[in-house]
Every structure is written in structure tokens, then in C-alpha cells.
Amino acid sequence: MSEDRNTLSQVNSNSIGKNFFTRHHIDLPLMFGLFLALCFSLFVLYSASGQEADMLIRQITRTGAAFVLMIAVAQIPPKYFAKASTYLYIIGVILLVLVELFGDISKGAQRWLNLGIVRIQPSEFFKVVMPLSVAAFLAKTALPPKLLHTICSFIIVGIPTVLILMQPDLGTAALVSVAGFICIFIAGLSWWWLIAGAIAGAAALPVIWNFVLHDYQKQRVFTLLDPSSDPLGAGYHIIQSKIAIGSGGLYGKGWLQGSQSQLDFLPEPHTDFIFAVLSEETGLVGFLILISLYCFIIGRCVVITLNARHNFERILCGSFTFTFMFYIFVNIGMVSGILPVVGVPLPLISYGGTAMITLMICFGIMMSIHTHKKVSFFMKDNK
């Protein structure tokens, strides 16, 4: 009898725990994966920052604020995201236009808008707003989208992308456009559109090269093809990064023992090139730990996407998931020398506030989509 009571109390405690997270719209597996990844990032960042305690404290503060924001976003029912998407898109485009007219110039780029109290980068805003807007538009139409709706979707994607390219910010423009195009693809874009787009893109390469890309962007392509052509100039960073990754071996040189990172051979070791620091100090083992954490998070996002109820939710979650994967691929490819250097941080690992907050908002929206569905069904069962 006592064993039955113990079993019953254990079941009740587990049920209370699950109901607590469900009531507060927190997806426990996703939260667990994100927490582990962010703890791992602090471990790597301490070394990458040159053991700078102040930087680590700032990152811990930003991480805590990002988690609070994620949970706050998760409390909002998904229908309100769809309703707000049009207004957010218009506000975002207006901000991008204001950047073009009155934005602050830093390091040759005009990407920031000074509001007096704070300086913002509106292009980051579109990493969330773009998939939100395209998904909301396509969800109102019959899927797969017809020709007119497909063209309208391309226009929705194209306007902010062109404005971001004018800043110039090729990396962010690529990430924003990919997020939008993934929505269109998930909605059922015909393969003929993809083939036609590939052909049109190939035909436009000479125009893009001669009239769109800036000199420093062309230099990045030349550096990618042959970094040894300028080993002390444009090719220096990628050469040092590849040395760091290759020298890590199986187990790495040890935490805080990386010669490339600790002796300042690596550029931006705590942001864009933090993967090289991780690979040098922890080797293949550290790389596999990181990839395992990423796979766990991505796997959970795929489950949330497959269990979404409506087209809007499925398209949006699918876009967030594939965009997250794209961020990872671009950063690791960039640092490894298989892609041009475009200044994309490693998600959840690199130091920074804006990219972290943007990502956590996306994960908060996914939690909202998954947990509000559960709450609605739970309430019906109680009735």
C-alpha cells in the first residue's frame, strides 16, 4: 500500500512539473538544449576573450535577459504574431529607409540609426520580421501558392533585402532573404521556380559582380579562392583560422592553451571566429559536442514544426529552423575557408547581444506555437 502511495505521489509530482511548464508556455526540451548550448558558449568565450571576466559577465547578463525575453514572447498566442506582421514589416522598411537617409556611418557602412538614447541596427529586426511577414501572407492564400501570390512573396522579400544591400551589408541581406525564401519553399514553391531562379541568378552574376558588389566584397571572393596570394593582408585571417582548426587535432591543445587565440593571431576570436578557438582548444571532441547540441536543438525545432496546427505556424517554424541551420553552416564554412568571410556570428556561441536576442525571440515564438496548442487541447479535455 505504501509503495502505491509513493508511486502515486511521484506521478503527481511529475504531472505538476509538466503542467507548470505548460502553463507558462515553456517547451522544456528546447529550453534544456538552449541552456546547455549557452553554458558551453560561456566556457569557450572565457578563453576566446583572453580570460576577460568583464566580457564574460556582460555575456551572462545578456544571456539572462535573452532568456527572459524568450519566455515573455512565448506567452503571446501565435495569432497575435500573424496579426502584427504587416505593421512590423512596414515599421521595419521605414527604419531601413531612415538608415539610408540619416544613418550613422561606421567602418565604411551605414547600418545604424541613432535614436538619441540608443543606437539600433534595423536590418537585424528583419531576421524575425521577414519570415513572420512572408508566412502570414502565404497562410492567407491557398497552398501551394499561385503565380500572383508567389510574385508578391518575392516582392515582400526583395524590398528589405535591397535596402540592406545598399548599406552595404551582404551577410545580413543574405540571411534575411534566405529566411523569406525558405518560407516560400515550405509553402510549396514549384521546382520550376527554383530552376528558373538558378538560371536567372547565374545569368545575373556578371551584373552583380560589376555593379552590385563593392571592392572589399570582391576581394573576399579572391581571398576565398586563393588566401595565400596575400598571406599578410587579405588572406591573413582565414589562413590563421585554418591553422587553428587544423592544429586542434582529436582532443585539442587544452582549454586556455590555444596558441593562435591566446597569442592574438586570430581576428575577432570572441565573435565571428570563435569556432576556430573552440576547434584549436577542444579539437574534434569539442566540435562533436557543439554539433550534438545543435542537432538536439534543431531536432526539437523539427518536432515543433511537424506538430504545428496551421499553415502559418508550420511555415514560420520551418523557416526559423532552416535559417538557424543556415547561420551555423555559413559561420563554420566562413571560418573553415569554404565560404567568403561575411561577418556572421556562430549562433548561441559568439559574443554579442543583438544576434542573441534575435535568436531567442525566434525560439520564443516557436515555444508559443507549440505550448499554446497544448494548453488549448488541455482546456477542452477538462470541459
PDB file of all heavy atoms in Angstrom, residues 18 42 47 75 90 103 135 139 143 150 157 175 178 181 185 188 208 243 263 299 309 324 333 380:
ATOM      1  N   LYS A  18       5.182  19.102 -15.248  1.00  0.00           N
ATOM      2  CA  LYS A  18       4.836  19.287 -16.653  1.00  0.00           C
ATOM      3  C   LYS A  18       3.799  20.376 -16.820  1.00  0.00           C
ATOM      4  O   LYS A  18       3.876  21.198 -17.734  1.00  0.00           O
ATOM      5  CB  LYS A  18       4.326  17.965 -17.246  1.00  0.00           C
ATOM      6  CG  LYS A  18       5.423  16.918 -17.414  1.00  0.00           C
ATOM      7  CD  LYS A  18       4.863  15.634 -18.015  1.00  0.00           C
ATOM      8  CE  LYS A  18       5.973  14.588 -18.177  1.00  0.00           C
ATOM      9  NZ  LYS A  18       5.448  13.321 -18.718  1.00  0.00           N
ATOM     10  N   LEU A  42      29.748  30.029 -22.815  1.00  0.00           N
ATOM     11  CA  LEU A  42      30.482  30.765 -21.783  1.00  0.00           C
ATOM     12  C   LEU A  42      31.848  30.132 -21.518  1.00  0.00           C
ATOM     13  O   LEU A  42      32.839  30.829 -21.288  1.00  0.00           O
ATOM     14  CB  LEU A  42      29.659  30.817 -20.499  1.00  0.00           C
ATOM     15  CG  LEU A  42      28.320  31.575 -20.584  1.00  0.00           C
ATOM     16  CD1 LEU A  42      27.556  31.453 -19.269  1.00  0.00           C
ATOM     17  CD2 LEU A  42      28.536  33.032 -20.945  1.00  0.00           C
ATOM     18  N   SER A  47      37.836  31.759 -22.756  1.00  0.00           N
ATOM     19  CA  SER A  47      39.147  31.604 -23.379  1.00  0.00           C
ATOM     20  C   SER A  47      39.304  32.530 -24.581  1.00  0.00           C
ATOM     21  O   SER A  47      40.337  33.175 -24.742  1.00  0.00           O
ATOM     22  CB  SER A  47      39.354  30.152 -23.819  1.00  0.00           C
ATOM     23  OG  SER A  47      40.583  29.992 -24.483  1.00  0.00           O
ATOM     24  N   GLN A  75       4.659  33.775 -24.131  1.00  0.00           N
ATOM     25  CA  GLN A  75       3.334  33.951 -23.512  1.00  0.00           C
ATOM     26  C   GLN A  75       2.300  34.495 -24.503  1.00  0.00           C
ATOM     27  O   GLN A  75       1.092  34.442 -24.253  1.00  0.00           O
ATOM     28  CB  GLN A  75       3.425  34.907 -22.317  1.00  0.00           C
ATOM     29  CG  GLN A  75       4.534  34.610 -21.339  1.00  0.00           C
ATOM     30  CD  GLN A  75       4.563  33.166 -20.880  1.00  0.00           C
ATOM     31  OE1 GLN A  75       3.561  32.632 -20.391  1.00  0.00           O
ATOM     32  NE2 GLN A  75       5.717  32.527 -21.031  1.00  0.00           N
ATOM     33  N   ILE A  90       6.058  47.056 -42.136  1.00  0.00           N
ATOM     34  CA  ILE A  90       6.040  48.463 -42.567  1.00  0.00           C
ATOM     35  C   ILE A  90       6.984  49.302 -41.711  1.00  0.00           C
ATOM     36  O   ILE A  90       7.767  50.124 -42.230  1.00  0.00           O
ATOM     37  CB  ILE A  90       4.595  49.019 -42.502  1.00  0.00           C
ATOM     38  CG1 ILE A  90       3.713  48.316 -43.544  1.00  0.00           C
ATOM     39  CG2 ILE A  90       4.593  50.528 -42.736  1.00  0.00           C
ATOM     40  CD1 ILE A  90       2.243  48.634 -43.420  1.00  0.00           C
ATOM     41  N   GLY A 103      21.309  57.516 -41.392  1.00  0.00           N
ATOM     42  CA  GLY A 103      22.010  56.552 -40.555  1.00  0.00           C
ATOM     43  C   GLY A 103      23.446  56.935 -40.253  1.00  0.00           C
ATOM     44  O   GLY A 103      24.091  57.675 -40.999  1.00  0.00           O
ATOM     45  N   ALA A 135       5.327  34.303 -43.982  1.00  0.00           N
ATOM     46  CA  ALA A 135       4.480  33.202 -43.517  1.00  0.00           C
ATOM     47  C   ALA A 135       3.036  33.658 -43.331  1.00  0.00           C
ATOM     48  O   ALA A 135       2.090  32.946 -43.711  1.00  0.00           O
ATOM     49  CB  ALA A 135       5.027  32.638 -42.209  1.00  0.00           C
ATOM     50  N   ALA A 139      -0.017  32.183 -45.593  1.00  0.00           N
ATOM     51  CA  ALA A 139      -1.032  31.407 -44.865  1.00  0.00           C
ATOM     52  C   ALA A 139      -2.448  31.862 -45.198  1.00  0.00           C
ATOM     53  O   ALA A 139      -3.406  31.112 -44.991  1.00  0.00           O
ATOM     54  CB  ALA A 139      -0.787  31.511 -43.366  1.00  0.00           C
ATOM     55  N   LEU A 143      -2.577  26.978 -50.649  1.00  0.00           N
ATOM     56  CA  LEU A 143      -1.242  26.427 -50.882  1.00  0.00           C
ATOM     57  C   LEU A 143      -1.333  25.163 -51.734  1.00  0.00           C
ATOM     58  O   LEU A 143      -2.275  24.388 -51.582  1.00  0.00           O
ATOM     59  CB  LEU A 143      -0.574  26.117 -49.543  1.00  0.00           C
ATOM     60  CG  LEU A 143      -0.371  27.308 -48.601  1.00  0.00           C
ATOM     61  CD1 LEU A 143       0.348  26.870 -47.336  1.00  0.00           C
ATOM     62  CD2 LEU A 143       0.406  28.426 -49.289  1.00  0.00           C
ATOM     63  N   THR A 150       3.022  34.090 -55.405  1.00  0.00           N
ATOM     64  CA  THR A 150       4.466  33.837 -55.393  1.00  0.00           C
ATOM     65  C   THR A 150       5.237  35.108 -55.722  1.00  0.00           C
ATOM     66  O   THR A 150       6.226  35.448 -55.055  1.00  0.00           O
ATOM     67  CB  THR A 150       4.831  32.728 -56.395  1.00  0.00           C
ATOM     68  OG1 THR A 150       4.101  31.535 -56.071  1.00  0.00           O
ATOM     69  CG2 THR A 150       6.325  32.436 -56.349  1.00  0.00           C
ATOM     70  N   VAL A 157      10.010  39.887 -49.910  1.00  0.00           N
ATOM     71  CA  VAL A 157      11.392  39.552 -49.564  1.00  0.00           C
ATOM     72  C   VAL A 157      12.367  40.569 -50.165  1.00  0.00           C
ATOM     73  O   VAL A 157      13.340  40.983 -49.523  1.00  0.00           O
ATOM     74  CB  VAL A 157      11.743  38.130 -50.045  1.00  0.00           C
ATOM     75  CG1 VAL A 157      13.220  37.827 -49.790  1.00  0.00           C
ATOM     76  CG2 VAL A 157      10.865  37.090 -49.367  1.00  0.00           C
ATOM     77  N   LEU A 175      21.137  36.478 -45.102  1.00  0.00           N
ATOM     78  CA  LEU A 175      20.393  35.772 -44.059  1.00  0.00           C
ATOM     79  C   LEU A 175      18.909  36.133 -44.094  1.00  0.00           C
ATOM     80  O   LEU A 175      18.045  35.259 -43.958  1.00  0.00           O
ATOM     81  CB  LEU A 175      20.984  36.104 -42.692  1.00  0.00           C
ATOM     82  CG  LEU A 175      22.424  35.645 -42.450  1.00  0.00           C
ATOM     83  CD1 LEU A 175      22.919  36.153 -41.100  1.00  0.00           C
ATOM     84  CD2 LEU A 175      22.540  34.141 -42.520  1.00  0.00           C
ATOM     85  N   VAL A 178      17.258  34.615 -47.290  1.00  0.00           N
ATOM     86  CA  VAL A 178      17.125  33.156 -47.149  1.00  0.00           C
ATOM     87  C   VAL A 178      15.934  32.820 -46.253  1.00  0.00           C
ATOM     88  O   VAL A 178      15.158  31.896 -46.549  1.00  0.00           O
ATOM     89  CB  VAL A 178      18.427  32.547 -46.593  1.00  0.00           C
ATOM     90  CG1 VAL A 178      18.193  31.130 -46.088  1.00  0.00           C
ATOM     91  CG2 VAL A 178      19.497  32.527 -47.675  1.00  0.00           C
ATOM     92  N   PHE A 181      12.839  33.283 -48.421  1.00  0.00           N
ATOM     93  CA  PHE A 181      12.720  32.292 -49.495  1.00  0.00           C
ATOM     94  C   PHE A 181      12.399  30.903 -48.959  1.00  0.00           C
ATOM     95  O   PHE A 181      11.705  30.118 -49.612  1.00  0.00           O
ATOM     96  CB  PHE A 181      14.002  32.261 -50.331  1.00  0.00           C
ATOM     97  CG  PHE A 181      14.159  33.448 -51.231  1.00  0.00           C
ATOM     98  CD1 PHE A 181      15.359  34.142 -51.282  1.00  0.00           C
ATOM     99  CD2 PHE A 181      13.102  33.902 -52.020  1.00  0.00           C
ATOM    100  CE1 PHE A 181      15.506  35.247 -52.100  1.00  0.00           C
ATOM    101  CE2 PHE A 181      13.244  35.016 -52.836  1.00  0.00           C
ATOM    102  CZ  PHE A 181      14.443  35.683 -52.884  1.00  0.00           C
ATOM    103  N   PHE A 185       9.445  28.381 -50.119  1.00  0.00           N
ATOM    104  CA  PHE A 185       9.733  26.996 -50.484  1.00  0.00           C
ATOM    105  C   PHE A 185       8.875  26.026 -49.680  1.00  0.00           C
ATOM    106  O   PHE A 185       8.292  25.087 -50.228  1.00  0.00           O
ATOM    107  CB  PHE A 185      11.224  26.706 -50.260  1.00  0.00           C
ATOM    108  CG  PHE A 185      11.612  25.293 -50.554  1.00  0.00           C
ATOM    109  CD1 PHE A 185      11.739  24.851 -51.860  1.00  0.00           C
ATOM    110  CD2 PHE A 185      11.857  24.401 -49.517  1.00  0.00           C
ATOM    111  CE1 PHE A 185      12.096  23.544 -52.138  1.00  0.00           C
ATOM    112  CE2 PHE A 185      12.210  23.087 -49.783  1.00  0.00           C
ATOM    113  CZ  PHE A 185      12.335  22.655 -51.099  1.00  0.00           C
ATOM    114  N   GLY A 188       5.296  25.415 -50.665  1.00  0.00           N
ATOM    115  CA  GLY A 188       5.009  24.581 -51.831  1.00  0.00           C
ATOM    116  C   GLY A 188       5.452  25.194 -53.143  1.00  0.00           C
ATOM    117  O   GLY A 188       4.803  24.977 -54.176  1.00  0.00           O
ATOM    118  N   ILE A 208      25.964  41.462 -61.196  1.00  0.00           N
ATOM    119  CA  ILE A 208      26.180  41.585 -59.749  1.00  0.00           C
ATOM    120  C   ILE A 208      27.644  41.898 -59.458  1.00  0.00           C
ATOM    121  O   ILE A 208      27.965  42.759 -58.631  1.00  0.00           O
ATOM    122  CB  ILE A 208      25.747  40.283 -59.035  1.00  0.00           C
ATOM    123  CG1 ILE A 208      24.225  40.092 -59.174  1.00  0.00           C
ATOM    124  CG2 ILE A 208      26.151  40.315 -57.564  1.00  0.00           C
ATOM    125  CD1 ILE A 208      23.736  38.750 -58.668  1.00  0.00           C
ATOM    126  N   ILE A 243      44.745  27.331 -39.650  1.00  0.00           N
ATOM    127  CA  ILE A 243      45.829  26.772 -38.833  1.00  0.00           C
ATOM    128  C   ILE A 243      45.293  26.375 -37.455  1.00  0.00           C
ATOM    129  O   ILE A 243      45.599  25.293 -36.923  1.00  0.00           O
ATOM    130  CB  ILE A 243      46.977  27.790 -38.693  1.00  0.00           C
ATOM    131  CG1 ILE A 243      47.701  27.960 -40.030  1.00  0.00           C
ATOM    132  CG2 ILE A 243      47.963  27.347 -37.606  1.00  0.00           C
ATOM    133  CD1 ILE A 243      48.729  29.075 -40.027  1.00  0.00           C
ATOM    134  N   LEU A 263      47.564  34.092 -28.391  1.00  0.00           N
ATOM    135  CA  LEU A 263      48.639  34.989 -28.816  1.00  0.00           C
ATOM    136  C   LEU A 263      48.165  36.002 -29.858  1.00  0.00           C
ATOM    137  O   LEU A 263      48.963  36.620 -30.565  1.00  0.00           O
ATOM    138  CB  LEU A 263      49.815  34.177 -29.359  1.00  0.00           C
ATOM    139  CG  LEU A 263      50.470  33.217 -28.356  1.00  0.00           C
ATOM    140  CD1 LEU A 263      51.585  32.414 -29.025  1.00  0.00           C
ATOM    141  CD2 LEU A 263      51.016  33.986 -27.156  1.00  0.00           C
ATOM    142  N   GLY A 299      16.619  19.244 -33.923  1.00  0.00           N
ATOM    143  CA  GLY A 299      15.665  18.133 -33.883  1.00  0.00           C
ATOM    144  C   GLY A 299      14.385  18.514 -33.161  1.00  0.00           C
ATOM    145  O   GLY A 299      13.281  18.181 -33.603  1.00  0.00           O
ATOM    146  N   ARG A 309      -0.223  23.306 -35.968  1.00  0.00           N
ATOM    147  CA  ARG A 309      -1.591  23.054 -36.416  1.00  0.00           C
ATOM    148  C   ARG A 309      -1.930  23.707 -37.744  1.00  0.00           C
ATOM    149  O   ARG A 309      -2.631  23.122 -38.568  1.00  0.00           O
ATOM    150  CB  ARG A 309      -2.580  23.588 -35.363  1.00  0.00           C
ATOM    151  CG  ARG A 309      -2.531  22.890 -34.033  1.00  0.00           C
ATOM    152  CD  ARG A 309      -3.366  23.649 -33.022  1.00  0.00           C
ATOM    153  NE  ARG A 309      -2.850  25.012 -32.808  1.00  0.00           N
ATOM    154  CZ  ARG A 309      -3.483  25.933 -32.102  1.00  0.00           C
ATOM    155  NH1 ARG A 309      -4.658  25.667 -31.581  1.00  0.00           N
ATOM    156  NH2 ARG A 309      -2.946  27.130 -31.941  1.00  0.00           N
ATOM    157  N   PHE A 324      18.196  28.911 -38.824  1.00  0.00           N
ATOM    158  CA  PHE A 324      19.152  28.600 -37.753  1.00  0.00           C
ATOM    159  C   PHE A 324      20.256  27.681 -38.285  1.00  0.00           C
ATOM    160  O   PHE A 324      21.451  27.905 -38.032  1.00  0.00           O
ATOM    161  CB  PHE A 324      18.415  27.950 -36.582  1.00  0.00           C
ATOM    162  CG  PHE A 324      19.291  27.584 -35.419  1.00  0.00           C
ATOM    163  CD1 PHE A 324      19.942  28.555 -34.680  1.00  0.00           C
ATOM    164  CD2 PHE A 324      19.456  26.254 -35.051  1.00  0.00           C
ATOM    165  CE1 PHE A 324      20.747  28.212 -33.596  1.00  0.00           C
ATOM    166  CE2 PHE A 324      20.258  25.908 -33.970  1.00  0.00           C
ATOM    167  CZ  PHE A 324      20.898  26.881 -33.251  1.00  0.00           C
ATOM    168  N   GLY A 333      31.465  27.443 -42.300  1.00  0.00           N
ATOM    169  CA  GLY A 333      32.035  27.464 -43.646  1.00  0.00           C
ATOM    170  C   GLY A 333      32.951  28.650 -43.858  1.00  0.00           C
ATOM    171  O   GLY A 333      34.011  28.535 -44.483  1.00  0.00           O
ATOM    172  N   LYS A 380      -9.861  21.933 -23.413  1.00  0.00           N
ATOM    173  CA  LYS A 380     -11.015  21.250 -23.996  1.00  0.00           C
ATOM    174  C   LYS A 380     -11.267  19.935 -23.289  1.00  0.00           C
ATOM    175  O   LYS A 380     -12.406  19.550 -23.040  1.00  0.00           O
ATOM    176  CB  LYS A 380     -10.774  20.989 -25.491  1.00  0.00           C
ATOM    177  CG  LYS A 380     -10.837  22.236 -26.341  1.00  0.00           C
ATOM    178  CD  LYS A 380     -10.552  21.916 -27.783  1.00  0.00           C
ATOM    179  CE  LYS A 380     -10.567  23.187 -28.646  1.00  0.00           C
ATOM    180  NZ  LYS A 380     -10.238  22.901 -30.054  1.00  0.00           N
TER     181      LYS A 380
END
